Amino acid sequence: MTYGAVIRRYLLAGLSAGILCALYLRILGEPVIRAGLDFEDSLPPEGPADPELFTRSQQVVGGMVAIVFVSLVLSFLFGTLYVYLRHRIISGLGDVRASTALASVAFLLTAVVPWIRYPFLPPGMGNGETVWKRGFWELLLIATSIVAFVAIQLLVARLKGRISDDVRWILAIVTPVVVIGLIMFVFPSVSDPYPEGIPAQLIWSFRIRSLGSYALFWAIVGIFGGWLGSRAATSSPNNPPSVPQKDPVTQR
């Protein structure tokens, strides 16, 4: 398969994942969000209320469309990374297992790591300043974790033939855990005081269901995208995926 063929299959997987995640959040996430908004409305106002530009129904529809769009972008980036790493780090596995393994790592780095360091907050918690600060550090943590993980895996791959495969596997698993754990420790904390009286169940329901949406997305992209790639590879086994190369420079 060509690079474009791989990307098309992962875009299809991303579209499917985006639609299912949007439905998941509409059915399971919206009740928790509404409960958070109702709790926020029950608090004494701190000042004049801002006019509502969009109704809640319009916000829900816009959010579902945004989820599908973001899913397409993430699946494109994932497909590109998969093509790059397929024969460098995760070679020797079938397309389904390799894609699922990489998607599992993506879930850990883009969802679990920030979920631990900067837990998700339901509506009604946090102010504008902390929301932007939290978002900035969360995105920076995700980017730093991904760069650290890929760099470690490439370094470990270079040790092939110099140390045993068992030691390489241990290094490939333990080293990222230690390094990313240190990165999480170095990053600053962004704390928001919990509003008095907010139910703990509401907070944890929002966090767990939000994490579940990430798990659903990466599971679909990893498994379904790998399955599509394996079926295509079966029809053209001698044409592995490749990133487009630049035309060679003519020697004079």
Side-chain angles (χ1 to χ4, degrees):
M1 284 192 296
T2 63
Y3 169 74
V6 174
I7 293 301
R8 285 194 296 271
R9 283 162 176 79
Y10 275 104
L11 286 176
L12 177 58
L15 177 63
S16 304
I19 293 174
L20 290 177
C21 285
L23 294 175
Y24 168 92
L25 291 174
R26 176 64 182 87
I27 297 171
L28 296 179
E30 182 60 19
V32 180
I33 294 176
R34 286 187 180 274
L37 293 174
D38 291 340
F39 177 81
E40 183 182 19
D41 293 337
S42 68
L43 297 175
E46 297 181 355
D50 296 329
E52 191 176 68
L53 298 178
F54 301 98
T55 65
R56 183 57 195 161
S57 298
Q58 292 173 330
Q59 293 173 5
V60 170
V61 173
M64 295 176 69
V65 173
I67 289 171
V68 174
F69 175 76
V70 172
S71 298
L72 289 172
V73 174
L74 289 177
S75 61
F76 171 81
L77 296 175
F78 178 83
T80 301
L81 185 62
Y82 175 77
V83 169
Y84 179 75
L85 298 179
R86 179 67 179 90
H87 299 290
R88 290 176 172 84
I89 294 177
I90 48 180
S91 59
L93 301 175
D95 285 296
V96 175
R97 286 185 293 175
S99 180
T100 303
L102 188 59
S104 300
V105 173
F107 169 67
L108 293 174
L109 297 179
T110 63
V112 176
V113 168
W115 188 84
I116 294 174
R117 191 67 183 95
Y118 302 108
F120 304 147
L121 296 176
M125 295 184 58
N127 53 50
E129 181 182 351
T130 56
V131 167
W132 284 107
K133 186 183 297 184
R134 178 186 299 273
F136 169 78
W137 287 113
E138 183 178 340
L139 290 175
L140 187 60
L141 176 61
I142 292 173
T144 305
S145 300
I146 292 175
V147 171
F149 179 84
V150 173
I152 291 170
Q153 298 305 318
L154 291 175
L155 289 174
V156 171
R158 289 179 174 271
L159 298 176
K160 186 175 183 179
R162 301 179 183 179
I163 59 177
S164 66
D165 290 340
D166 292 337
V167 175
R168 283 200 310 117
W169 274 104
I170 293 174
L171 290 175
I173 296 173
V174 174
T175 307
V177 173
V178 174
V179 172
I180 293 175
L182 292 174
I183 292 174
M184 292 171 60
F185 177 78
V186 170
F187 268 59
S189 61
V190 181
S191 59
D192 285 289
Y194 291 173
E196 184 178 354
I198 187 169
Q201 182 180 1
L202 173 61
I203 298 175
W204 281 103
S205 294
F206 180 80
R207 290 176 178 174
I208 295 299
R209 296 185 189 193
S210 298
L211 189 64
S213 66
Y214 284 93
L216 177 63
F217 170 79
W218 287 116
I220 295 173
V221 170
I223 298 173
F224 187 41
W227 179 77
L228 291 174
S230 66
R231 287 182 60 86
T234 301
S235 61
S236 56
N238 296 322
N239 191 16
S242 58
V243 179
Q245 302 292 327
K246 296 181 179 179
D247 294 334
V249 179
T250 305
Q251 300 292 331
R252 295 185 178 180

